[in-house]
Amino acid sequence: MTMDNKVIIGYAPTRRRIFSAKDAVKYKKLIADKLREWEIEFIDIEDINEEGLLRCAEDVEPVIDKFRKARVDALFLPHCNFGSEHSCGKVAAALNVPVLLWGPRDEAPEPDGSRLRDTQCGLFATGKVLRRMQVPFTYVPNCRVDSPQFERGFRNFTAAANVVKEFRKGRILQIDTRPADFWTMMVNEGELLEKFGIQVFPITMVEFADKVLELEASGDEDVEETVRYIHDHMEVCIPEDSVRRVAALKTAMKYFARINGCNAVAIQCWDALQQALHVMPCCANALLTDEGIPVVCETDIHGAITAIMVQAAGMGRTPSFFADWSVRHPENDNGELLQHCGPWPISLAREKARLSRPFAFPEHCPGAVVSELKPGEISILRFDGDNGDYGMLMGRAKTIEGPETIGTYAWVEIPDWPKVETMIVKGPYVHHAVGIHGDILPVIYEALNYIPGVRADFYNEEQERETTYAAWN
């Protein structure tokens, strides 16, 4: 199930009766125009009353009913004057979606000393009510409609709501069991369901391999298109029959993900698959991740959850990539090698990617991607847990120059790498992580506000300060 990165906002502007209704309606329209300018999809409440504003108790149930029927992913409560704090609280508590609280900055008092809106005061009141009702919410500080601060905060909130949406519907296609020696990939499937509502849908290697062979022999159009895509976008260094099998493997993963409603895949990439199909799945993983269905290796269920969150935070601007923390840079004490056998999206290759063979396995079956990651700032994260303790290890790095190696790889520099290394060893984290170009830390930090039971672990205090500041500023 490819992520659509579409977030539907329930737009419920609010006012209090004792302040100017005219100015509240004026700001309701100004804010709605700004959302349209930003191409935000939203459901308004124009049909609820003559003002299209959330004003009092009688508006609450009709607003809830409308937003539920529209299946909104998030709720926006702009205070167009003081606002109705109890009405906002009731709507937010009923919908159980991410909530954005904000209001446009007040003008100077009128010449006679009267004030039209008192928006900031109302925000204080609604924040208190939401806390009383134990409703988590996002707050963008009081600023003008045209302020860059409002746009940054709103877009950050929208991306965070996308993360929450994808996390809550998390359903992971597990292709076969974890590799027997990989105890690090153990997960508590029941606890994931109980704590977070995340489902794991397992299939065996037998049924998966049968589907691959069926597609390979069928002349399936998706397989044919994937073969053409590989030849158009990669340097092919393996036999043509192996190219076709890789294409069939990718199509089979997509098929099982679609029919089972899964938004990520975790595959036992070795060694049962090599015994059954004599290829590596790396390129298939890369191609499917590029299409918006993240695929992770070694049946890493927690890695798949990470990939769901990271890819959702990126809002479709760029795909994620699944990596190993591997070895330290030979010269830079804060440098580290991120790599894997070859599952990174080929759209992320610094130069044209090669379809070849991995170096780490004696069989050297074909199907791995060889490419260096294109340079830039990246975010690297890991959702993980053990003994009932869950966290998100999160931080930023930048790519640096380093020795050439095999597979998909990047040398990165991280401030105070020994501290991060120690955090991974001491847990609850492991050597796998998910990266993405750009800084998504403020988005993930805000999303965790709506995912109880998962703490944020930052690489260092400086990145934590910068992220928490960016999340609300």
Side-chain angles (χ1 to χ4, degrees), residues 70-85:
R71 302 176 68 86
V72 299
D73 302 305
L75 175 65
F76 180 29
L77 296 169
H79 281 43
C80 296
N81 62 31
F82 189 99
S84 175
E85 70 262 36

Side-chain angles (χ1 to χ4, degrees), residues 192-234:
L192 289 174
L193 183 62
E194 293 158 5
K195 279 181 174 284
F196 310 116
I198 292 174
Q199 303 174 48
V200 177
F201 189 90
I203 63 172
T204 67
M205 187 60 70
V206 172
E207 59 188 309
F208 179 68
D210 284 349
K211 187 65 179 179
V212 172
L213 295 175
E214 174 194 325
L215 288 166
E216 180 182 348
S218 69
D220 180 87
E221 181 53 37
D222 284 347
V223 175
E224 302 300 334
E225 176 57 33
T226 302
V227 170
R228 289 192 292 269
Y229 186 89
I230 289 171
H231 281 289
D232 288 345
H233 294 87
M234 304 183 75

Side-chain angles (χ1 to χ4, degrees), residues 211-406:
K211 187 65 179 179
V212 172
L213 295 175
E214 174 194 325
L215 288 166
E216 180 182 348
S218 69
D220 180 87
E221 181 53 37
D222 284 347
V223 175
E224 302 300 334
E225 176 57 33
T226 302
V227 170
R228 289 192 292 269
Y229 186 89
I230 289 171
H231 281 289
D232 288 345
H233 294 87
M234 304 183 75
E235 180 186 343
V236 177
C237 306
I238 64 173
E240 189 59 29
D241 60 342
S242 297
V243 174
R244 186 172 183 79
R245 182 155 294 180
V246 166
L249 197 152
K250 175 253 183 180
T251 306
M253 281 196 288
K254 188 174 181 179
Y255 165 81
F256 281 112
R258 188 186 76 251
I259 66 168
N260 295 302
C262 298
N263 54 352
V265 180
I267 185 170
Q268 192 214 97
C269 49
W270 61 280
D271 56 359
L273 190 143
Q274 286 71 50
Q275 295 173 23
L277 295 171
H278 310 292
V279 292
M280 296 295 294
C282 310
C283 181
N285 299 359
L287 295 171
L288 201 52
T289 302
D290 240 340
E291 290 185 8
I293 304 176
V295 184
V296 303
C297 313
E298 295 156 1
T299 327
D300 182 357
I301 301 300
H302 288 170
I305 295 169
T306 314
I308 288 171
M309 299 174 75
V310 169
Q311 194 129 320
M315 292 294 284
R317 291 184 294 271
T318 184
S320 62
F321 58 94
F322 181 76
D324 269 3
W325 297 110
S326 296
V327 297
R328 295 184 72 172
H329 194 283
E331 298 172 354
N332 185 333
D333 286 344
N334 284 323
E336 178 75 7
L337 176 64
L338 282 177
Q339 65 86 37
H340 224 281
C341 305
W344 297 3
I346 63 174
S347 65
L348 301 180
R350 187 172 188 171
E351 297 176 351
K352 192 172 187 178
R354 299 199 311 275
L355 178 54
S356 186
R357 300 169 186 267
F359 80 96
F361 302 96
E363 316 89 82
H364 293 299
C365 289
V369 178
V370 178
S371 68
E372 184 178 4
L373 184 74
K374 66 182 180 182
E377 181 186 54
I378 56 177
S379 302
I380 310 170
L381 302 94
R382 172 72 188 187
F383 168 93
D384 218 328
D386 51 44
N387 298 291
D389 175 38
Y390 288 85
M392 176 70 83
L393 182 61
M394 49 199 288
R396 296 186 304 276
K398 63 178 182 180
T399 58
I400 57 174
E401 295 301 316
E404 183 178 351
T405 186
I406 303 296

Side-chain angles (χ1 to χ4, degrees), residues 30-42:
L30 288 172
I31 297 164
D33 288 345
K34 186 60 66 174
L35 298 186
R36 294 186 187 97
E37 179 185 323
W38 297 338
E39 298 182 339
I40 302 297
E41 185 170 348
F42 65 92

Side-chain angles (χ1 to χ4, degrees), residues 106-127:
D106 296 276
E107 298 83 8
E110 295 291 281
D112 64 0
S114 62
R115 300 184 305 277
L116 297 175
R117 295 190 293 117
D118 275 20
T119 292
Q120 186 188 57
C121 192
L123 293 168
F124 295 147
T126 300

